Amino acid sequence: MKLFITGISTDVGKTIASAIITEALEADYWKPVQAGELENSDSHKVKSLVSNQKSQFYPNSYALQTPASPHLAAELDGIKINLKQINEPQTDNHLVIEGAGGILVPLNEKDCIIDLIRPEYKVIVVSRHYLGSINHTLLTIEAIRNRGLTVAGILFSGNENKSTEELILNKTGIQCIGRIEEEPYFDPNVIREYADLFREKLLKLQ
């Protein structure tokens, strides 16, 4: 199973969600494009939070210096992102693939994050509550579906907003995998607790 983790915006909890899912499935992890924080990248963060011995962590296809939209970060590095240079790692294990920012974040003048998603990927959308988040969630799901791709589930991040969650789930018909609470911190123990909580629903996505 190959799961693509995307969010409705930046800083909504994709990396924590990716760590939880990687731990739950003892999956391999890959972030194709990293922009900025190369010494403490999302790959580093996920690896530090995952405690099983099976998961493998694959290098970024593009590791860019500037914390900015990938198309701009690449331009500042004097390169251009080429989708043909982004090659999915070969593994017999489950694979968790983490996007960058939202689904329409540009990689170059033509391609966006959504263009990394292959038909066989199951997409998990991470939604966090803020003013405008319903619109961003519904637009994200509609954009994915308009490409003929599968949204397999939603993970809510942060404090509960029951009305918002029910509206999103009812309008989209997508199953909720669960919610990642506003924890005081995340460490391998907390990640394992969520992994145990979400594992059954994740395995049923197959």
Side-chain angles (χ1 to χ4, degrees), residues 42-136:
D42 291 340
S43 298
H44 287 103
K45 292 171 186 173
V46 172
K47 188 173 184 178
S48 73
L49 292 170
V50 168
S51 53
N52 79 79
Q53 301 302 308
K54 186 177 178 181
S55 294
Q56 299 292 315
F57 300 86
Y58 295 99
N60 312 118
S61 296
Y62 286 93
L64 308 168
Q65 297 293 327
T66 306
S69 173
H71 82 289
L72 176 59
E75 182 180 323
L76 293 173
D77 281 0
I79 61 174
K80 184 174 180 178
I81 293 175
N82 183 345
L83 290 191
K84 293 180 180 178
Q85 300 301 316
I86 300 178
N87 298 310
E88 176 193 302
Q90 298 301 305
T91 177
D92 293 326
N93 194 11
H94 299 302
L95 181 63
V96 172
I97 306 152
E98 183 181 351
I103 207 73
L104 294 181
V105 164
L107 297 170
N108 52 44
E109 297 92 338
K110 177 185 175 184
D111 303 307
C112 295
I113 291 294
I114 196 169
D115 295 298
L116 298 175
I117 304 176
R118 298 183 181 182
E120 67 270 22
Y121 293 175
K122 299 178 188 300
V123 182
I124 293 178
V125 173
V126 181
S127 178
R128 187 175 183 87
H129 306 303
Y130 54 82
L131 187 61
S133 66
I134 295 174
N135 182 53
H136 291 166

Side-chain angles (χ1 to χ4, degrees), residues 3 15-29 46-55 57 93-94 96 187-199 202-203:
L3 296 173
T15 300
I16 292 297
S18 295
I20 291 168
I21 295 166
T22 298
E23 181 67 39
L25 300 176
E26 296 187 328
D28 293 348
Y29 170 90
V46 172
K47 188 173 184 178
S48 73
L49 292 170
V50 168
S51 53
N52 79 79
Q53 301 302 308
K54 186 177 178 181
S55 294
F57 300 86
N93 194 11
H94 299 302
V96 172
D187 65 9
N189 290 327
V190 176
I191 295 297
R192 275 197 304 272
E193 289 176 7
Y194 278 105
D196 292 341
L197 193 62
F198 297 161
R199 184 175 293 110
L202 289 167
L203 287 170

